[in-house]
Amino acid sequence: MLTMNTTNMQRTAYELIKQKILLADYIPGQKISENMITSDIDLGRTPVREALIHLKKDNLIDVVPQSGSYVAKIDLESAKNARFVRENIEKEIVKEAITKNIMIVIPELERIIKMQEYYYNQNDAQGFFAMDDGFHKAFYIAADKAQIWEWLQILNSQLTRFRWLRLKITNLKWQKLIDQHLAILKAVKANDTPLATKLVVNHLHLMLEEQQTLIDAFPDYFINID
């Protein structure tokens, strides 16, 4: 029977390795090993081994017989499907957030945008990325649908990897994301639900507009490219 400490170590290993994959510390297609990861995250081989088993189930690790384990390449079809789900759910979430808790969501969005601008000025991609997620999550919380946000994170891994790579493309400006968030906030402040939902949909369409730029920059990182 697993002890609580063992379970916690396995969970910690899983989260640390997953984060390294999502944020491209371990790049798509990279060969990895238990020994390498054990040294990297300073945990034992058993929790690392169990974490890799779960990450394989999450389609983040590929195991090639007689070759080894590799970081899975980004499944572009899966990322686009996750974006489609997000778009269709999120426009309804925004409507509910404005209806239920507009006076709560506005100051939270303002706070997040200020933090995003701070991280932008500091050239802190990880902080900026966290605030980008936080902006969207704020609507789910205001709509009393935080659980749906958590469910979506299970589906979002390939989309998250795609979005993170976007920040590494110097000609895809971070400011564009801030400007779109500011436009959404302005519509929310005006209590203009149709405009707010339209702007959110347009914001989520950014992936489709920019996907070729990422494919051209990282041609070996993707599978299931149209």
Side-chain angles (χ1 to χ4, degrees):
M1 184 175 181
L2 293 177
T3 65
M4 182 61 70
N5 186 52
T6 300
T7 301
N8 288 340
M9 287 178 66
Q10 290 180 1
R11 170 55 59 180
T12 299
Y14 171 83
E15 293 296 343
L16 287 173
I17 300 167
K18 182 177 181 179
Q19 191 74 353
K20 285 181 175 295
I21 293 172
L22 294 180
L23 301 186
D25 290 330
Y26 297 156
I27 66 173
Q30 178 183 345
K31 188 172 184 177
I32 57 176
S33 68
E34 290 179 13
N35 287 339
M36 180 200 85
I37 295 173
T38 296
S39 175
D40 201 14
I41 67 174
D42 196 25
L43 285 173
R45 292 188 65 175
T46 298
V48 168
R49 186 180 302 117
E50 292 299 320
L52 291 176
I53 290 171
H54 287 291
L55 289 164
K56 181 178 182 295
K57 293 177 181 177
D58 293 345
N59 297 315
L60 292 173
I61 296 288
D62 290 331
V63 177
V64 180
Q66 300 180 335
S67 179
S69 297
Y70 297 81
V71 177
K73 294 189 177 184
I74 299 170
D75 187 329
L76 192 58
E77 182 179 4
S78 177
K80 288 164 72 174
N81 286 338
R83 187 216 62 82
F84 177 83
V85 171
R86 278 279 301 273
E87 175 185 320
N88 283 279
I89 290 177
E90 206 149 307
K91 60 188 179 183
E92 299 303 320
I93 292 292
V94 169
K95 290 178 187 177
E96 287 202 33
I98 293 173
T99 301
K100 288 183 176 180
N101 281 315
I102 189 171
M103 299 312 296
I104 292 176
V105 76
I106 287 174
E108 180 61 8
L109 296 179
E110 290 175 332
R111 182 191 70 81
I112 290 168
I113 291 173
K114 284 181 182 178
M115 289 301 300
Q116 200 167 25
E117 289 171 335
Y118 169 80
Y119 288 125
Y120 170 71
N121 291 326
Q122 296 296 313
N123 198 33
D124 183 339
Q126 199 161 334
F128 184 93
F129 193 72
M131 290 301 102
D132 191 54
D133 270 347
F135 183 88
H136 295 269
K137 185 178 180 180
F139 284 106
Y140 289 78
I141 293 172
D144 297 323
K145 296 291 189 296
Q147 187 178 46
I148 293 178
W149 174 263
E150 299 305 324
W151 290 343
L152 288 173
Q153 302 322 296
I154 300 171
L155 302 174
N156 267 353
S157 59
Q158 303 300 331
L159 179 58
T160 298
R161 299 173 77 194
F162 179 96
R163 289 173 49 237
W164 174 256
L165 283 184
R166 184 211 185 274
L167 295 184
K168 295 194 169 188
I169 305 291
T170 55
N171 64 333
L172 295 180
K173 303 300 184 183
W174 297 11
Q175 185 63 48
K176 184 172 185 177
L177 302 178
I178 295 174
D179 291 344
Q180 289 186 339
H181 286 174
L182 285 168
I184 293 167
L185 173 60
K186 183 178 179 181
V188 173
K189 284 182 172 180
N191 203 11
D192 189 339
T193 302
L195 179 58
T197 55
K198 179 183 177 181
L199 291 171
V200 166
V201 168
N202 290 344
H203 180 56
L204 293 172
H205 263 266
L206 199 58
M207 175 199 171
L208 301 179
E209 298 168 18
E210 297 177 343
Q211 65 178 346
Q212 192 58 51
T213 303
L214 268 72
I215 293 167
D216 291 344
F218 304 100
D220 297 327
Y221 282 13
F222 296 95
I223 60 171
N224 290 329
I225 301 170
D226 291 339

